[in-house]
Amino acid sequence: MSILIINGKVIDPSQDLSAPRDILIEGKKIKGIFPKGKSPKADKTVDASKCIVIPGLVDIHAHLREPGFEYKENIKTGTMAAIKGGFTSVCCMPNTNPVNDAVSVTEFILKKAAKEGSCSVYPIGAITSGQAGDTLTELEALIKSGCIAFSDDGLPVMNSLIMRRALEYSKIFDVPIIAHCEDSTLSEGGVMNEGIVSTRLGLQGIPKAAEEVMVARDISLCELTGGRLHLAHISTEGSVNMVRSAKERGINVTAETCPHYFTLTEDSLKEFDTNFKVNPPIRTAVDLEAIKEGLKDGTIDVIATDHAPHNYDDKNCEFDKAAFGISGLETALSLGLRLVDEKLIDLKQLVTMMSVTPSEIMKINKGSLSEGSDADITIVDLDKKYTVDSNKFLSKGKNTAYQGMELKGAVVTTISMGKVHEWE
Ligand SMILES: [Zn+2]
């Protein structure tokens, strides 16, 4: 079966292309890319008039919750949410139950994804057994079974020697170690950013230093080992500055942030709405500006979602007891497009940060519309406005911080491995 995408403006940073083009898909692959009107006939056409056509988005930080927490999300619903949000590849964190620290769990995830998934799924293995922080997992065996990176995300690796060894292995196996930077002795008991607002609200704070001391440590260990370090969800001005100077010194570090760190500040917690409770916490206006600057100048390489779906009871309780996290897959692109609207970055940069670079970091061979690539394509109507309604989310996690907000730029079609999903 062949499909032709016509009338769209193709933006593909991987081949430095930003022009009207038709794309021909055959089966699961891109067969060719043609100037308007020069394309061959196909069995089916997809009209992308007034839309941009970009490589399918790649999320390198999502929690699909399966196995073990299927009441929050599963591979089926999580990957459906992904394609609704324009993502055709999702890398899933290992903090499931059981933890993805063994070949059997990795194989289970991949099998389930092949059977029930709507997009490509790449498991991230745990750095330590049970994410307990004391014993390294069998990294080589996990890589052979399909893990593409390692992280204890959700928890920090507090033991610096373990982190050092993980980074040494990352060099040998050429896989990223993804650091969830949080010194738990500093953050323990905290529920929001530590500062004037937390004092006023009477909520226990998490200081920026809880993140920054670990960013400093891990950059230092990365320099020591020559390993491949990727920093998850950085949220503070101090972290951005450290990553910038590490890169200037030639250290092999990459970093991601998430939409909530460049769209929200701690002031949004004043209503005690647990949908704004996230870890690391939403910071101050100064941090938000620094994160934006980091995105603009390339210090921050990737926009990831940290998609953290929860069920109703996990969030509808006292603020102190509520779970951390935002269901992010279905709003991330529109929030990223705000940066383009604000002229902070251009479309090419956004697509680079949400597709090309994430694919390169994970070495998954996605993020391109060139001939022979996988047919993973997202078609976006940049002018289409919509109001966020979590009841319409395909994710089981309705925990969004953007409920009722009007966003601009909507995914109209997602093609994952040649399969077309059209949204109204
Ligand atoms: Zn994390």
Side-chain angles (χ1 to χ4, degrees), residues 61 153-154 180 233 279 306:
H61 190 148
D153 185 61
H180 165 110
H233 47 51
N279 187 23
D306 195 3

Side-chain angles (χ1 to χ4, degrees), residues 382-400:
L382 293 175
D383 296 320
K384 190 173 173 181
K385 291 178 180 168
Y386 67 100
T387 302
V388 177
D389 178 2
S390 61
N391 294 312
K392 290 185 185 159
F393 279 8
L394 298 184
S395 169
K396 286 191 190 183
K398 310 300 178 192
N399 48 307
T400 176

